[in-house]
Amino acid sequence: MADLPYRAIIVLGKTWFRAMDFQWRVTGSEHIPSEGGAVLAINHVSYVDFIMAGYGAVPSGRLVRFMAKRETFDHRLSGPLMRSLRHISVDRADGQASYDEAVRYLKDGEVVGVFPEATISRSFEIKELKTGAVRMAADAGVPLVPMVLWGTQRLITKDHPRDFGRHKTISVTIGEPISPEGATAVEKTAELRTAMGAMLDKAVAEYPPDEQPPGSWWLPARYGGTAPTPEEAKRLDREELAERAAKRRARAEAARAKRSG
């Protein structure tokens, strides 16, 4: 059987899900093509989204190859696993190579998972999307399939302690395929964001009310939660980037001082 490591990971994942007694709500799996390439465009609210999105595609019989940052592949533990699952390394210093590899995967009939927001949404709303997902779907001549996750942020996300308590509901909504043709990449990306926004609204509205009471930190502000508004989230993102840049400069200066000393 092909992809034995991937299938073994799915078995392990199912074991974990049963132990956690997750209540799964997967809708629209029929929208993932049963064969041929497709880009799966997924919202990003949690550090475990790739696991949940991959499981959401299981009913369709497809294995998703995710695009993930190069550091994940460089790690001594996660690196061999990511390569064995045939995921795609994204090197921000050489993004074209990663893009070209994803297009090749798509032309070879693979389903490629992309998080077009690029980073986790602190507001848990759909952020501005990068155009890469639309462009690679157009270049490969494959459909663009939107997917929205909800509830995964309750497990582990930015700015909050992890909570792997049991009995949480995990919602996976898969929308109708969008053709990447017929408009510019910017226009199609706006269409994708609109579709994902509507899917998110529906997922939030249908989530068990007792699991997201008003004031919940994982609930968007416009739904009565205490998550940052999209504007506040943008400010926090800018501050995080500035802090990272300052740390990189400090490390570089310390390295130069050590060499000169």
Side-chain angles (χ1 to χ4, degrees):
M1 182 184 294
D3 282 302
L4 282 176
Y6 207 135
R7 298 183 191 282
I9 289 294
I10 290 173
V11 171
L12 289 174
K14 288 181 176 179
T15 301
W16 177 47
F17 301 152
R18 283 194 296 271
M20 297 292 291
D21 192 31
F22 288 144
Q23 305 302 303
W24 286 90
R25 294 187 175 187
V26 180
T27 60
S29 57
E30 70 276 7
H31 295 314
I32 299 178
S34 59
E35 58 183 22
V39 174
L40 197 60
I42 312 153
N43 70 321
H44 203 4
V45 293
S46 166
Y47 290 113
V48 294
D49 283 342
F50 69 98
I51 298 174
M52 306 311 189
Y55 184 70
V58 167
S60 70
R62 305 304 302 273
L63 301 179
V64 183
R65 315 299 178 178
F66 288 97
M67 300 189 74
K69 59 184 181 180
R70 188 196 67 189
E71 289 82 356
T72 309
F73 289 79
D74 291 342
H75 192 276
R76 65 184 181 85
L77 296 178
S78 62
L81 177 62
M82 296 293 283
R83 287 186 286 274
S84 72
L85 302 181
R86 297 176 56 209
H87 294 318
I88 302 169
S89 173
V90 177
D91 186 347
R92 291 172 183 170
D94 187 14
Q96 188 61 48
S98 305
Y99 180 92
D100 291 343
E101 185 174 13
V103 171
R104 179 175 63 79
Y105 270 49
L106 292 165
K107 289 181 176 180
D108 287 344
E110 299 282 2
V111 175
V112 173
V114 180
F115 295 98
E117 293 167 291
T119 57
I120 286 176
S121 171
R122 285 182 158 99
S123 70
F124 309 124
E125 303 262 19
I126 306 297
K127 297 170 63 174
E128 294 296 327
L129 307 183
K130 307 295 184 183
T131 61
V134 168
R135 290 187 290 107
M136 66 176 63
D139 285 347
V142 301
L144 184 68
V145 182
M147 174 185 278
V148 164
L149 305 172
W150 189 249
T152 63
Q153 74 274 27
R154 298 176 61 197
L155 301 174
I156 178 170
T157 191
K158 284 187 175 182
D159 306 329
H160 295 279
R162 65 188 66 186
D163 177 7
F164 289 111
R166 303 175 71 234
H167 316 304
K168 293 180 176 65
T169 296
I170 305 296
S171 169
V172 183
T173 307
I174 303 155
E176 294 185 6
I178 297 172
S179 170
E181 307 295 339
T184 67
V186 171
E187 291 169 337
K188 278 293 176 178
T189 299
E191 180 182 340
L192 172 64
R193 184 168 185 250
T194 297
M196 293 176 72
M199 291 163 61
L200 179 63
D201 287 342
K202 188 171 186 292
V204 174
E206 295 180 351
Y207 200 76
D210 61 324
E211 292 191 53
Q212 57 177 25
S216 299
W217 64 259
W218 57 83
L219 191 59
R222 66 187 175 95
Y223 280 101
T226 57
T229 64
E231 293 72 23
E232 291 168 339
K234 285 182 181 179
R235 175 182 57 79
L236 292 171
D237 287 345
R238 289 194 297 269
E239 291 174 356
E240 180 184 20
L241 288 174
E243 184 179 349
R244 287 182 180 179
K247 287 181 178 179
R248 285 196 297 270
R249 288 194 298 271
R251 286 196 298 266
E253 290 173 2
R256 286 195 296 269
K258 185 176 181 180
R259 288 195 299 270
S260 62

